[in-house]
Amino acid sequence: MPVQIQSPTGAPHARILGVGGYRPSRVVTNEQICQVIDSTDEWITTRTGIRERRWATAEETVAMMSVSAAGKALAAAGIEAEQIGLVIISTVTHLAQTPSLAAMVANELGALNAAAFDISAACAGFCHGLALAQDAVRGGSAEHVLVIGVERLSDLTDMNDRSTAFIFGDGAGAAVVGPSDTPAIGPVVWGADGAQYEAIGQTFDWDALREQPELGFPALRMSGQQVFRWASYQMVPVAKTALERAGITADDLDAFIPHQANMRITDAMIKALKLPEHVPVARDIARTGNTSAASIPLAMERMLEEGEAPHDGVALLIGFGAGLVYAAQVVVLP
C-alpha cells in the first residue's frame, strides 16, 4: 500500500492585516532635476504628473527602508515578528546578487523562523507578492506572511538621460497577510508580455563590466511611448478581469490603487474602466515619483492614514512594469 502523505492545512481565506511605508527624507523637486537636464517643471508635470520625488540618503538603504516599513505594518496588524512564517521582498535595486535582501530583513526584524526570498517583478512585484502570500496562507505554508516592495531607483538613474532622469523615486511599502474567515484577497490576474522584454531595462548587464570596466555603472532605460501605449490599453482588460474574478464591478469599489507610473496612464484607465466619480484614486506619483514595487503599498498606506480610502473597503490593485509583467487583484483594505 503506498505511503499516504498528509496534506498541509491552511486558512480558508487570507487578508491584508496591516500596511506600512517608508518615504526617504530627501525631497527632490522638478526644479532641481531641471538644473541637470534640459526640461521644465511644466513639461514634467504635464507629461507625467510628477512634481517631486523622494531620493534616499546613504543611510537609507533598501534594508533600512524595508525594516522601517515592515515595523509599521506589523504594528498596524498587531502581529509580532516571531509570528511571521515567510518574508517576500520585491525589488530590482538590491544590488547584491546573493544572499537575498529578504533573509537580511527577516533577521533584523526578529522573524528568525521565517522562510525568506526575493522576487524580481519590477513595478508589479507587490501584487505578485500578495498573490504568493495568499497562496502560502491558504495552503498552510505560513500563517502570516510579510510582503515588502522596496526600491532605491536613484541608484540606477542616469541624471543625463532626459527621458528618465525625472521619473524614479525611492521608498518602501509593506503588508502583513494572514488568515481570514471570509474572502479578502481576490484571484490574481497576472502574466508577462515577453515580446516587449527590452522596453524597460538596464543600459547594460553587470557582466559587461568584466570586459569593459570603463563603462561605469549601469542605469535604467525605458522606451517611454512603447510602455505608455502598452499600459494604457493592455492593462484595462487585466483590471476588468480582476474585477470579474472577484465577482464585483467598478461601482462596488471603495478605492482604485494602480501602480504610480504616470498620471496620464492612470487617467486613461479610469476612463476605460468607467470608474464612478465617488471612487478615490491613488495619485501619489505627484509627490513620490515612480517607486516601482513600493508604489502600491505606499499609496495604500497614505490613503488609509488620510481617510481617503475606508478601512475594510474594497480596492482594485494593478501593477505593471519591466518584463513586461503585470498583476492585478481586488483586496479588502485592512
Side-chain angles (χ1 to χ4, degrees):
M1 183 176 179
V3 175
Q4 296 295 312
I5 298 176
Q6 184 174 343
S7 64
T9 302
H13 305 285
R15 68 174 294 134
I16 300 174
L17 301 175
V19 294
Y22 181 88
R23 294 163 179 79
S25 56
R26 181 186 175 195
V27 177
V28 179
T29 65
N30 286 345
E31 288 82 358
Q32 290 173 280
I33 297 291
C34 292
Q35 293 175 9
V36 182
I37 62 172
D38 180 18
S39 189
T40 65
D41 171 64
E42 181 182 8
W43 188 91
I44 295 171
T45 303
T46 301
R47 297 295 290 268
T48 67
I50 301 171
R51 296 185 179 277
E52 63 186 33
R53 70 286 295 144
R54 300 292 185 97
W55 282 359
T57 63
E59 294 76 22
E60 292 169 320
T61 64
V62 286
M64 176 267 179
M65 292 190 291
S66 295
V67 169
S68 180
K72 292 178 67 177
L74 288 167
I79 297 297
E80 300 295 329
E82 293 84 355
Q83 295 174 261
I84 297 296
L86 172 61
V87 177
I88 302 171
I89 295 186
S90 176
T91 184
V92 297
T93 49
H94 174 50
L95 301 182
Q97 195 72 32
T98 192
S100 71
L101 176 63
M104 182 191 308
V105 169
N107 181 68
E108 290 194 28
L109 287 170
L112 304 181
N113 296 315
F117 59 83
D118 297 348
I119 59 174
S120 178
C123 307
F126 180 76
C127 292
H128 278 68
L130 277 185
L132 296 173
Q134 174 178 228
D135 289 347
V137 171
R138 297 185 66 186
S141 299
E143 184 177 8
H144 296 96
V145 181
L146 177 62
V147 180
I148 301 172
V150 60
E151 303 291 6
R152 266 183 58 122
L153 292 166
S154 58
D155 287 340
L156 295 178
T157 296
D158 180 357
M159 285 306 301
N160 296 309
D161 183 353
R162 187 177 181 273
S163 65
T164 61
F166 55 86
I167 294 175
F168 301 111
D170 303 337
V176 175
V177 176
S180 173
D181 293 330
T182 57
I185 300 177
V188 66
V189 181
W190 55 2
D193 184 0
Q196 301 192 69
Y197 177 83
E198 296 184 353
I200 307 173
Q202 289 185 187
T203 48
F204 54 85
D205 294 337
W206 297 106
D207 61 359
L209 294 174
R210 295 179 179 177
E211 301 296 328
Q212 297 176 275
E214 69 277 5
L215 286 174
F217 206 73
L220 289 170
R221 53 161 182 75
M222 180 170 61
S223 301
Q225 286 301 313
Q226 179 182 353
V227 175
F228 179 87
R229 289 191 298 269
W230 175 80
S232 297
Y233 298 104
Q234 299 302 316
M235 291 302 97
V236 172
V238 173
K240 288 182 177 179
T241 302
L243 291 171
E244 291 169 2
R245 291 188 180 177
I248 68 170
T249 69
D251 289 336
D252 299 314
L253 290 173
D254 297 301
F256 178 41
I257 312 178
H259 163 52
Q260 301 297 288
N262 184 297
M263 200 81 81
R264 292 192 300 156
I265 293 175
T266 297
D267 288 338
M269 294 181 70
I270 291 170
K271 182 178 180 180
L273 289 170
K274 299 180 180 178
L275 202 69
E277 290 186 4
H278 67 81
V279 178
V281 178
R283 296 186 179 276
D284 289 52
I285 190 171
R287 301 301 179 193
T288 64
N290 180 341
T291 57
S292 188
S295 77
I296 290 176
L298 279 173
M300 186 187 300
E301 179 206 42
R302 184 199 59 76
M303 293 180 83
L304 289 169
E305 284 187 346
E306 297 182 2
E308 187 176 351
H311 292 279
D312 291 321
V314 177
L316 171 62
L317 315 180
I318 183 167
F320 43 87
L324 294 168
V325 301
Y326 58 88
Q329 64 262 92
V330 173
V331 304
V332 175
L333 297 169

